[in-house]
Amino acid sequence: RINGNDYIENGWELKDTLRLAPLLEKAGAVYLHISGGVYGSTELTIPSMYTPQGCFIHLAEAVKQVVDIPVITVGRIKDPVHADSIIKEGKADMVALGRSFLADPEYPNKAKAGMLSNIRPCVGCCLGCIHAVLAKEPGSCVVNPDVGREYKLAEETAVTETFKVLVAGAGPSGLAAARMFALEGHEVMVCEKADSTGGLLALAATAPGRGELGDILRFFNEELDRLAVPVRFNTPLSKELLDEFRPDQVILATGSMPDMPVIKGLFKTKMDLITSVDVFNEADTPGKKVIVLGGGMTGLITADTLAEKGCEVVVLNRRKSFAEEMSSNDRYYLRERLKKGNVTLYKKVSVTSFSDDGVAFTSNGENVTLSGYDTVVISEKHQPVREAKTLEKKSDAHFHIIGDAKTPRHLMYCISEAEEAGRAG
């Protein structure tokens, strides 16, 4: 296995690989596996969702022109149709997959059987796999919580008693829970107050470069269709619904909403005051000069979205680091995007007060005053939405809270918690 390009200054380039490949063939190599990137390179060896699928194919294709032995390609090739087309078009003789097999170990069997919609997709977040390993933690997978504990799951016994389960909320947690309950043989129904599934994750998938987050939602939706799990839209959890369905268990997966901070002058400013959710669902149109309060993952993705729309953006991060909840690989590409956009980042911020058209604050101990802004976007903490828990007193069902409704966290915990609930019955 060799690099087609190191993607670093004074590093190995494709022209070098094209000289080496025939020599390796002559020396007896039976195949060449062409990858790219090293630690610290501008193109990471394990790239995130921001990079095109099949990002290293062109390297293998070039090598294939100078050797007669089989050439293998790799690099975010997650769709079997895409993989097939690479081979049919003569760009490579074989396709190597890594993270896709973590997301779904049955990927080859499902592809061979033509069950493409049943393949659980990698979303390229790099969080459960490479990020965890680099942090010296057990590797796993955001979309497949079974990874790393298969031996424990093999010891589980089959369900002997089935229940009626009502899942309130069709975001990723609710969909994952409904799927797992159905797979375990329970009778399941989902109610959702909105007119579509996905919750906040569906909004996040509209951000630049993050569309693949929607792939896991499509998988869950297709799974519920396959398992004949009904989803009632525009239907919040209510006593009437409980009386009608008469569930044994209710799973509250009702998500979270942005929390509004209390800061001097914030609610008296003449600037428009909106949230990141408003930006993504286009409920409000931001102005041209925007202050984003919050430097976590959502704050940076919001800033990127606004910058792509032509806004001048300032991000105020009250923490010491940006987007700590993201994997380092994913964060790298987002930070690179922000460098190219009209975005200014401040960290270790302590806000003194908001004015009619700006804000005064300290950053790293230095005083800063900004003016001439027209919009403030709140993108810091989220608070759980679980008012429906009060209905437990009016029902014989046992209520369980999962996902953001329990505590707002990232997707890995939401799906893992949901599947645990489904297995526990």
Side-chain angles (χ1 to χ4, degrees):
R1 190 180 197 208
I2 58 175
N3 266 358
N5 195 327
D6 286 345
Y7 294 109
I8 57 172
E9 187 177 356
N10 299 319
W12 189 263
E13 297 180 4
L14 182 57
K15 61 182 177 63
D16 303 310
T17 307
L18 296 181
R19 289 174 53 213
L20 176 63
L23 298 177
L24 293 174
E25 180 180 27
K26 187 176 180 180
V30 293
Y31 66 85
L32 297 176
H33 186 169
I34 311 301
S35 184
V38 296
Y39 289 110
S41 58
T42 56
E43 289 294 334
L44 303 184
T45 303
I46 304 176
S48 85
M49 64 184 81
Y50 283 105
T51 61
Q53 294 181 33
C55 52
F56 299 139
I57 295 172
H58 65 288
L59 302 175
E61 184 177 13
V63 171
K64 189 166 166 56
Q65 306 308 309
V66 298
V67 297
D68 293 319
I69 56 177
V71 175
I72 304 171
T73 189
V74 72
R76 278 186 34 78
I77 303 168
K78 51 184 275 185
D79 179 3
V81 175
H82 183 203
D84 259 352
S85 69
I86 294 166
I87 297 170
K88 288 178 180 177
E89 293 168 12
K91 296 178 180 179
D93 300 291
M94 187 182 297
V95 168
L97 305 175
R99 286 173 286 174
S100 288
F101 286 173
L102 294 179
D104 194 336
E106 290 298 316
Y107 179 116
N109 295 330
K110 291 178 181 179
K112 184 177 181 180
M115 301 166 58
L116 304 189
S117 65
N118 286 33
I119 296 174
R120 191 193 303 228
C122 167
V123 295
C125 65
C126 303
L127 188 61
C129 50
I130 185 59
H131 184 75
V133 171
L134 291 177
K136 298 181 179 179
E137 298 175 356
S140 187
C141 177
V142 165
V143 300
N144 183 10
D146 294 356
V147 172
R149 59 196 189 107
E150 293 87 349
Y151 67 101
K152 290 186 176 181
L153 296 174
E155 298 172 358
E156 292 190 353
T157 57
V159 172
T160 58
E161 184 180 4
T162 59
F163 304 98
K164 294 184 70 175
V165 182
L166 177 59
V167 179
S173 291
L175 296 175
R179 171 182 176 269
M180 186 55 67
F181 273 110
L183 288 173
E184 293 291 315
H186 303 290
E187 181 183 348
V188 187
M189 184 173 76
V190 179
C191 66
E192 165 57 48
K193 68 177 182 179
D195 59 4
S196 60
T197 63
L200 294 181
L201 187 64
L203 294 180
T206 65
R210 303 195 71 79
E212 285 179 48
L213 291 172
D215 290 352
I216 189 61
L217 294 177
R218 283 188 285 275
F219 168 76
F220 284 138
N221 286 327
E222 289 170 355
E223 282 288 275
L224 294 195
D225 286 344
R226 181 178 69 86
L227 296 166
V229 175
V231 181
R232 292 194 187 181
F233 295 108
N234 303 305
T235 306
L237 184 62
S238 64
K239 184 178 183 305
E240 291 73 22
L241 185 60
L242 290 170
D243 290 341
E244 175 194 340
F245 189 63
R246 301 187 66 81
D248 299 299
Q249 296 189 36
V250 173
I251 304 299
L252 286 185
T254 42
S256 63
M257 62 183 293
D259 191 14
M260 300 298 287
V262 178
I263 301 175
K264 184 179 179 181
L266 180 61
F267 297 105
K268 294 181 179 180
T269 180
K270 293 182 180 178
M271 294 182 287
D272 291 332
L273 184 59
I274 62 177
T275 71
S276 54
V277 172
D278 298 323
V279 172
F280 290 119
N281 66 19
E282 300 182 339
D284 290 283
T285 303
K288 287 297 182 182
K289 296 190 68 177
V290 183
I291 298 169
V292 174
L293 182 61
M297 176 176 66
T298 305
L300 294 194
I301 292 171
T302 301
D304 186 30
T305 300
L306 293 169
E308 188 159 278
K309 293 180 179 180
C311 300
E312 178 184 334
V313 185
V314 168
V315 176
L316 306 185
N317 180 23
R318 297 201 272 185
R319 296 183 286 188
K320 64 179 181 179
S321 300
F322 290 97
E324 294 172 285
E325 64 271 45
M326 296 181 77
S327 72
S328 55
N329 290 35
D330 201 17
R331 183 173 59 242
Y332 165 77
Y333 287 103
L334 176 56
R335 291 293 299 269
E336 290 300 303
R337 284 183 57 86
L338 294 176
K339 290 177 184 177
K340 298 174 183 177
N342 197 4
V343 179
T344 304
L345 304 178
Y346 292 94
K347 64 181 179 179
K348 297 182 181 178
V349 166
S350 177
V351 178
T352 305
S353 66
F354 282 88
S355 63
D356 285 348
D357 67 343
V359 61
F361 60 94
T362 61
S363 174
N364 287 313
E366 296 184 5
N367 294 321
V368 182
T369 300
L370 303 176
S371 60
Y373 287 78
D374 47 48
T375 307
V376 178
V377 179
I378 304 300
S379 187
E380 285 192 316
K381 296 180 180 178
H382 274 233
Q383 59 182 354
V385 175
R386 50 181 181 228
E387 289 80 3
K389 182 74 164 58
T390 58
L391 292 170
E392 186 173 18
K393 298 177 182 178
K394 303 176 182 180
S395 171
D396 293 329
H398 296 289
F399 279 50
H400 307 276
I401 304 174
I402 64 172
D404 277 7
K406 183 177 181 180
T407 304
R409 291 152 295 166
H410 58 63
L411 184 62
M412 186 169 184
Y413 291 111
C414 291
I415 294 179
S416 176
E417 206 166 71
E419 296 204 353
E420 282 297 312
R423 282 198 173 96

